Structure formats: C-alpha cells, structure tokens
Amino acid sequence: MSGIVDVTAKGPRKLTLAQKLYVPEILAGLSVTIRHLLRNIVAIRKLPTILYPEQKRDYSGRFRGKHILKTRDDGTLKCVACYMCQQACPAECITIVAGEHPKIAYEKYPVVFDIDMLRCVFCGFCVDACPKDAIWMTRNYEMAFFTREDAVYSIDRLRESPEEIAKHGYGYRPYYPGDGTTPPADAALLPVVPGSGERDQLREKSVPLPDRDPGPGPLNAPSQAERPFSA
Ligand code: SF4
Ligand code: SF4
C-alpha cells in the first residue's frame, strides 16, 4: 500500500553484547560529558552561557522589565488615577484607588497603585494606555519573592528612583519624535494656577459638588504594606 508506513513489521532492535553489559555504554556517555567539561574549563571565555549574576546580558533599551511611576518636578506622581492602564491590562494585575488631589489642575491622584508582579505578563499595554506619560518600564528583571504578598508592588516600590535607573536603565516607554525619550509638553507639568480648575468654576456658579477632602491628605501615600492582601 503506497503512502502508509507499516510500523508493525519491525520487531525490537537486538542489543549487542556491549549494550547488554551496560558498562561500556555508560563509559561512552561519560566520555562525552567529561570531554565537554574539560573543553569548557579550558576555554571558559568562549562559553555561550552568561555567568549570572557576575555577568549580565545587555538588553534592549525597550526591554519590558519592572515598572516605574514617573514623578513631576515637585516629586508627586504624574499619575492622575484615570484607570486607563488598569482597563488595558490583560492580566488584571493593576489595582488603583483614586483620591482627590488638593491641586485642582490635577483633579485626582492614586492613593493606592499596586501591580501584582506574579500576574503581570510584561506586555507594556499599561505604558501604551497611559495618557499622562506616568508609567514606564525599566530593564530591571531582578524580581524575586518569598511570598505572594511580597510580589504586589505598591507605590513605594514603583516610584521612580535615580538609583534604580542608574543601575538598570529605562526600558519600554512611549516613543516620541526626536531622541525617542523626550515627551512633548505635558499639561500636567505646567504650573498650577489655584482656582483654575473646573470644580472651582462650578462652585462659583453654586453648582452642588461632592465634598472635597478637608486637607491635603497623604499625597501619594508611600506604602500600602499594611493593606490586607486579597488574592
Ligand atoms: S505590563 Fe501588561 S500585564 Fe503587566 S501591568 Fe502592564 S498591562 Fe498589565
Ligand atoms: S498610570 Fe497613567 S493610565 Fe494608569 S491611572 Fe495613572 S495616569 Fe492613568
């Protein structure tokens, strides 16, 4: 019959005497291992592997590693808690709780901004979705955790730090014309003129609005470490 391979015709392959004794075959296998071992010891610099952590591979400038939350000149987060990144995230690993910013021009800020690094698939969609240039990624891939709770990074670990950037460098981030890294003028960076926001204008017209926070509040609260973990 053409086109059909008869696999039943052949019986089991007969072993030679050396194969039946096993020892010669084991020695043959060991000789291959020892040959590679000696060759690698003699020519260790030619090894195709990286001696991590002493050596580190130089990854692309658009590598998708740990996220950072960018800050304004006054040190507050550029994030305005719009939830766009949370909506875009396919892994549903971003948790945001918005608070009302005392500066009218900013409107909102994230009281809680958590990313569960164990669920994150490092796709960069959150960076693409952000309208405020507030979340970038770095080339930092050195994330290790002992507990699931430890894998949930909150603002204190996501806030951009010069030390982290100096050590790992920026990774995936919005691409801009020019050098590719300089964002265009951002309204959120402009000086805030008190009373220029919509809320104050509406108040002047006696439009009823929900109560504001009485004071400045814990702007960009440094840590939500005490927050109970929810799976
Ligand atoms: S990189 Fe992707 S999976 Fe990770 S937080 Fe951003 S959108 Fe979600
Ligand atoms: S990081 Fe950007 S997209 Fe996400 S909530 Fe903040 S401003 Fe919105």
Coordinates of all heavy atoms in Angstrom, one line a residue, residues 67 89-91 93-94 115 120-126 137, ligand 1:
H67 N 8.1 48.0 36.3 CA 7.5 49.3 36.0 C 8.1 50.4 37.0 O 8.5 50.0 38.1 CB 6.0 49.3 36.2 CG 5.3 48.1 35.6 ND1 5.6 46.8 36.0 CD2 4.5 48.0 34.6 CE1 4.9 46.0 35.2 NE2 4.2 46.7 34.4
C89 N -4.9 46.5 31.0 CA -4.1 45.4 31.5 C -4.8 44.0 31.2 O -5.9 43.8 31.8 CB -3.8 45.5 33.0 SG -2.9 44.1 33.6
P90 N -4.2 43.2 30.4 CA -4.9 41.9 30.1 C -4.8 40.9 31.2 O -5.5 39.9 31.3 CB -4.1 41.4 28.9 CG -2.7 42.0 29.0 CD -2.9 43.3 29.7
A91 N -3.8 41.1 32.2 CA -3.7 40.2 33.3 C -4.4 40.7 34.5 O -4.4 40.0 35.5 CB -2.2 40.1 33.6
C93 N -3.8 42.9 36.7 CA -2.9 42.9 37.9 C -2.7 44.2 38.4 O -1.9 44.4 39.3 CB -1.6 42.2 37.5 SG -0.7 43.0 36.2
I94 N -3.4 45.3 37.9 CA -3.2 46.6 38.5 C -4.4 47.0 39.3 O -5.5 46.8 38.9 CB -3.0 47.7 37.3 CG1 -1.9 47.3 36.4 CG2 -2.9 49.1 37.9 CD1 -1.7 48.3 35.2
I115 N 0.8 46.8 41.6 CA 0.9 45.9 40.4 C 1.3 44.5 41.0 O 2.3 44.5 41.7 CB 1.9 46.4 39.4 CG1 1.5 47.7 38.8 CG2 2.1 45.3 38.3 CD1 2.5 48.3 37.8
C120 N 1.5 39.8 36.3 CA 1.9 40.7 35.1 C 2.6 39.8 34.1 O 3.4 39.0 34.4 CB 2.9 41.8 35.6 SG 3.5 42.8 34.3
V121 N 2.2 40.1 32.8 CA 2.9 39.4 31.7 C 3.9 40.3 30.9 O 4.3 39.9 29.9 CB 1.8 38.8 30.7 CG1 1.0 37.7 31.4 CG2 0.9 39.9 30.2
F122 N 4.1 41.4 31.5 CA 5.1 42.4 31.0 C 4.9 42.7 29.5 O 5.8 42.6 28.7 CB 6.5 41.9 31.3 CG 6.8 41.8 32.7 CD1 6.5 40.6 33.4 CD2 7.2 42.9 33.4 CE1 6.7 40.5 34.8 CE2 7.4 42.8 34.8 CZ 7.2 41.6 35.5
C123 N 3.6 43.0 29.2 CA 3.3 43.3 27.8 C 3.5 44.7 27.4 O 3.6 45.1 26.3 CB 1.8 42.9 27.5 SG 0.7 43.8 28.6
G124 N 3.5 45.6 28.4 CA 3.6 47.0 28.2 C 2.4 47.8 27.8 O 2.4 48.9 27.4
F125 N 1.2 47.1 27.8 CA 0.0 47.7 27.4 C -0.3 48.9 28.3 O -0.9 49.9 27.9 CB -1.2 46.7 27.5 CG -1.2 45.8 26.3 CD1 -0.2 45.7 25.4 CD2 -2.3 44.9 26.1 CE1 -0.2 44.8 24.3 CE2 -2.4 44.0 25.1 CZ -1.3 44.0 24.2
C126 N 0.0 48.8 29.6 CA -0.2 49.9 30.6 C 0.5 51.1 30.2 O 0.0 52.2 30.3 CB 0.1 49.5 32.0 SG 1.8 48.7 32.1
M137 N 8.5 51.4 31.9 CA 9.1 50.2 32.3 C 10.6 50.4 32.3 O 11.2 51.2 31.7 CB 8.7 49.0 31.4 CG 7.2 48.7 31.5 SD 6.6 47.5 30.4 CE 6.5 46.1 31.5
Ligands
SF4_1 S1 2.8 45.1 31.5 FE1 0.9 44.2 30.8 S2 0.3 42.7 32.3 FE2 1.9 44.0 33.3 S3 0.7 45.6 34.4 FE3 1.2 46.4 32.3 S4 -0.6 45.9 31.1 FE4 -0.7 44.6 32.9

